[in-house]
C-alpha cells in the first residue's frame, strides 16, 4: 500500500476488525512484528510504501517495510 503518514504519529497492522476492536493486530519492531505488539512510530511526514510479510517465506520473522517515496 502507498499512503501518506504524519511524522510523530504511530500505526499498527490489524485484521478481522468485525467488532471494531484491536483483537488481531501486529506491531512493535517493524523488523520483527509480534501479535499485540506496540505501535510503530513514523519518523517524518511523507508518502510511504508499506509492505507486510506475514508468511515468513522470506524470513523467520513476521515483518514489514516502510519506505519513504
Amino acid at each position: 500500500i502507498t499512503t501518506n503518514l504524519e511524522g510523530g504519529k504511530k500505526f499498527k497492522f490489524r485484521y478481522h476488525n468485525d467488532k471494531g476492536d484491536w483483537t488481531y493486530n501486529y506491531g512493535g519492531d517493524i523488523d520483527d512484528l509480534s501479535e499485540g505488539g506496540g505501535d510503530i512510530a513514523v519518523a517524518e511526514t511523507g508518502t510511504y510504501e508499506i509492505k507486510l510479510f506475514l508468511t515468513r517465506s522470506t524470513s523467520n520473522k513476521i515483518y514489514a517495510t516502510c519506505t519513504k517515496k
Side-chain angles (χ1 to χ4, degrees):
I1 183 171
T2 299
T3 190
N4 293 321
L5 298 175
E6 186 177 334
K9 299 285 185 168
K10 300 175 183 180
F11 71 96
K12 291 180 100 168
F13 298 96
R14 69 178 180 170
Y15 59 98
H16 292 296
N17 189 30
D18 306 4
K19 302 172 190 170
D21 61 18
W22 289 86
T23 302
Y24 303 105
N25 69 83
Y26 281 90
D29 181 350
I30 200 163
D31 294 319
D32 189 9
L33 297 169
S34 59
E35 192 163 346
D39 295 341
I40 301 163
V42 178
E44 61 183 81
T45 299
T47 301
Y48 289 83
E49 179 181 58
I50 302 169
K51 295 180 182 180
L52 177 62
F53 299 90
L54 291 170
T55 63
R56 298 184 187 195
S57 63
T58 58
S59 170
N60 267 344
K61 301 174 183 176
I62 295 173
Y63 68 99
T65 58
C66 186
T67 309
K68 189 171 182 193
K69 295 293 183 178

